[in-house]
Amino acid sequence: MKAALALASALALAGCAGLEPATPPDYTGPTVNVADQAVPAGGQLLHVFEMTQVDGRRLMATSMATVRANQGRGFGVSPVALSNELPLRPARVRLQALTQYGTPILAMTNPTCRTEGEVVFTPEAGKAYRVAGRIAAEACEVWIEDSATKQSVTDKVSGKGAGP
């Protein structure tokens, strides 16, 4: 539970310094869209599936944007899902699945999940992708899938579940 509070505090205090776009500034070729997801699981809880880095570049993440958008709103939380444009070439992508509550006190007193890891992702032209996952008592998982087919296109990153 202390980890959940530390995460919430870090997200609330995180600044934009050091954040970069998913596509390198010198890249001029075609790109594909990869959308994060923030799935409501009650008025005070979201399940967030996001991309936080591409080839070592730290991105503005859905969890950070959601914290900022919901500051001062009490216990409720409304999702702010971001998306990124990636070049058509293989990339090392850091994915994260987490539970995000409206306030840090809720994270201290309820089940939480946070798992992250790196996968290799090779996007294809003409496709759209989304970061998907599962948060359950037994496991927390995150991966990238084809938006149209809902088929996984990366390995899954798995971690400890949100259960007791």
Side-chain angles (χ1 to χ4, degrees):
M1 300 227 193
K2 287 182 183 179
L5 180 58
L7 172 63
S9 298
L11 290 173
L13 297 173
C16 289
L19 299 179
E20 301 178 66
T23 303
D26 60 344
Y27 182 80
T28 58
T31 61
V32 297
N33 186 270
V34 180
D36 291 346
Q37 288 192 78
V39 181
Q44 301 173 338
L45 171 64
L46 299 174
H47 291 175
V48 178
F49 308 103
E50 63 188 354
M51 184 168 44
T52 60
Q53 289 185 16
V54 175
D55 293 330
R57 290 183 306 281
R58 204 171 131 230
L59 309 175
M60 170 56 94
T62 287
S63 55
M64 287 188 275
T66 298
V67 165
R68 288 187 180 154
N70 286 278
Q71 285 179 337
R73 290 187 161 178
F75 287 91
V77 61
S78 297
V80 176
L82 303 178
S83 64
N84 290 281
E85 294 294 321
L86 269 66
L88 291 178
R89 61 184 185 204
R92 290 176 303 118
V93 178
R94 179 164 286 281
L95 302 176
Q96 177 170 259
L98 64 103
T99 50
Q100 187 166 2
Y101 288 92
T103 65
I105 191 73
L106 291 172
M108 290 175 52
T109 58
N110 288 285
T112 60
C113 160
R114 180 171 180 253
T115 191
E116 63 181 337
E118 200 169 272
V119 297
V120 175
F121 174 51
T122 305
E124 295 179 35
K127 294 194 174 188
Y129 300 93
R130 71 179 189 165
V131 183
R134 178 176 78 102
I135 293 178
E138 65 280 358
C140 293
E141 300 174 315
V142 61
W143 61 87
I144 296 176
E145 67 183 22
D146 182 301
S147 292
T149 67
K150 309 292 189 260
Q151 296 297 308
S152 176
V153 296
T154 66
D155 290 336
K156 289 182 179 179
V157 175
S158 298
K160 182 180 176 230

